[in-house]
């Protein structure tokens, strides 16, 4: 059975005080289900969050990581820096990084390989734009994104990878993909993994959906057979909404 996972991507929100307040509410809540919960605060709040959640089952992850080991890269953060403060996983390839910071498939491939080489686990995001979907090219586009970045991995790397399908048109727009559209794409992605890495890996790799997941649509999306959870942006900033989404499984 695959793990159920819900991740809160806080993006550039929550200062130190707000981070602690939100973590405190999540930490106090007695989650009854077996969902793996992760939160992704900004770089400045990672270390405090790790310390604060020390005795909790909630994992703290990074939103981004640099593709190099170390060196003259002003403003950047490396895999080993994250690991040294107890952050063992990072999101890579979020569409906002692709769009606003010009992170191409080529750069993302370097990020993926460098992170895994340094034993930092990853959540790799991908997904089509509205123009791709209008032209019915979403499957081709996602195939390209996966093939450009994930084709040269070792089979053992897959133990440290979570995939996240995030159609760009559904992120922060309030317009979520329909459960049918989500299932279709997740099936397609799982099949891509099967073709390239075999069914043992395709049956176990978690595939999350992200894009306007809210308390009122989470349970239908999460109940699709190839959906293993969600990457939640806006709704993860409100503890009640985030808890309700986690409890939607
Ligand atoms: P959203 O963001 O839930 O606010 O649409 C999702 C994401 O960017 O991961």
């Amino acid at each position: 059975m695959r793990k159920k996972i819900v991740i809160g991507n806080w993006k550039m929100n929550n200062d130190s005080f707000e981070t602690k307040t939100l973590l405190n509410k999540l930490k106090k809540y007695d989650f009854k289900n077996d969902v793996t919960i992760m939160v992704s605060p900004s770089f400045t709040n990672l270390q405090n969050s790790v310390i604060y959640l020390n005795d909790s089952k909630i994992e703290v992850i990074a939103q981004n990581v640099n593709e190099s080991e170390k060196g003259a890269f002003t403003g950047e953060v490396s895999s080993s820096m994250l690991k040294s403060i107890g952050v063992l996983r990072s999101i890579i390839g979020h569409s906002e990084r692709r769009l606003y910071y010009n992170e191409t498939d080529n750069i993302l491939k370097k990020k993926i390989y460098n992170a895994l080489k340094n034993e930092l686990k990853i959540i790799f995001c991908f997904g089509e734009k509205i123009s791709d979907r209008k032209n019915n090219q979403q499957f081709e586009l996602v195939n390209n994104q996966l093939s450009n970045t994930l084709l040269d991995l070792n089979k053992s790397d897959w133990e440290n990878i979570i995939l996240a399908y995030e159609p760009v048109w559904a992120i922060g727009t309030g317009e979520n993909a329909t459960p049918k559209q989500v299932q279709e794409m997740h099936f397609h992605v799982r099949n891509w993994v099967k073709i390239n890495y075999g069914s043992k890996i395709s049956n176990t790799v978690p595939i999350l959906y992200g894009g306007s997941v809210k308390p009122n649509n989470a349970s239908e999306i999460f109940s699709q057979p190839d959906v293993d959870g969600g990457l939640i942006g806006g709704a993860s900033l409100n503890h009640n909404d985030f808890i309700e989404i986690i409890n939607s499984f």
Side-chain angles (χ1 to χ4, degrees):
M1 247 234 324
R2 290 190 299 270
K3 270 191 190 163
K4 302 167 185 164
I5 302 167
V6 176
I7 303 175
N9 175 12
W10 294 351
K11 309 189 181 183
M12 200 173 74
N13 294 293
N14 292 336
D15 64 16
S16 164
F17 177 75
E18 291 161 334
T19 297
K20 197 162 176 190
T21 307
L22 185 47
L23 289 180
N24 196 26
K25 299 218 167 94
L26 297 176
K27 196 172 146 171
K28 273 199 205 138
Y29 188 85
D30 183 18
F31 290 99
K32 294 270 188 277
N33 55 21
D34 57 352
V35 177
T36 299
I37 305 165
M38 302 179 197
V39 291
S40 191
S42 66
F43 279 136
T44 55
N45 291 309
L46 284 176
Q47 186 159 22
N48 279 345
S49 299
V50 170
I51 294 167
Y52 195 61
L53 291 177
N54 190 21
D55 53 352
S56 141
K57 68 168 204 165
I58 302 171
E59 181 182 340
V60 178
I61 67 167
Q63 297 175 16
N64 183 30
V65 64
N66 186 267
E67 62 274 24
S68 297
E69 304 275 334
K70 64 178 186 174
F73 302 104
T74 302
E76 291 295 299
V77 171
S78 71
S79 300
S80 62
M81 288 172 183
L82 292 174
K83 283 181 57 195
S84 71
I85 58 162
V87 173
L88 307 181
R89 199 187 303 262
S90 179
I91 297 172
I92 290 179
H94 192 281
S95 64
E96 287 150 17
R97 300 289 323 167
R98 294 177 189 256
L99 187 65
Y100 305 137
Y101 303 97
N102 304 321
E103 292 192 358
T104 59
D105 285 347
N106 195 20
I107 293 172
L108 296 174
K109 183 171 183 178
K110 289 185 187 153
K111 289 193 177 212
I112 292 166
Y113 284 78
N114 193 61
L116 294 171
K117 185 174 145 212
N118 284 284
E119 294 175 346
L120 186 78
K121 299 175 186 175
I122 64 161
I123 292 133
F124 181 61
C125 305
F126 53 87
E128 81 282 1
K129 296 191 182 124
I130 190 65
S131 50
D132 306 314
R133 189 158 277 270
K134 279 191 175 145
N135 294 328
N136 203 24
Q137 286 175 333
Q138 64 273 22
F139 296 114
E140 197 185 326
L141 191 282
V142 164
N143 259 0
N144 288 341
Q145 287 178 325
L146 299 177
S147 299
N148 290 342
T149 49
L150 298 176
L151 267 189
D152 304 319
L153 297 166
N154 295 318
K155 283 197 168 179
S156 59
D157 287 330
W158 284 91
E159 284 163 29
N160 299 320
I161 298 175
I162 294 170
L163 298 177
Y165 168 55
E166 297 214 311
V168 180
W169 50 273
I171 298 176
T173 58
E175 188 188 345
N176 63 288
T178 64
K180 184 167 172 271
Q181 287 171 324
V182 176
Q183 169 55 25
E184 255 174 18
M185 184 58 85
H186 282 224
F187 180 82
H188 179 80
V189 170
R190 208 174 287 291
N191 199 43
W192 182 95
V193 177
K194 186 176 172 185
I195 290 165
N196 292 290
Y197 289 97
S199 53
K200 195 164 164 228
I201 291 173
S202 71
N203 285 333
T204 49
V205 62
I207 309 179
L208 313 184
Y209 167 76
S212 298
V213 177
K214 307 282 177 210
N216 65 3
N217 59 26
S219 78
E220 209 186 340
I221 294 172
F222 293 170
S223 65
Q224 302 303 310
D226 286 297
V227 177
D228 303 307
L231 182 51
I232 321 298
S236 71
L237 296 171
N238 175 299
H239 70 279
N240 286 324
D241 286 354
F242 192 51
I243 289 167
E244 215 179 314
I245 290 171
I246 294 164
N247 287 337
S248 301
F249 268 109

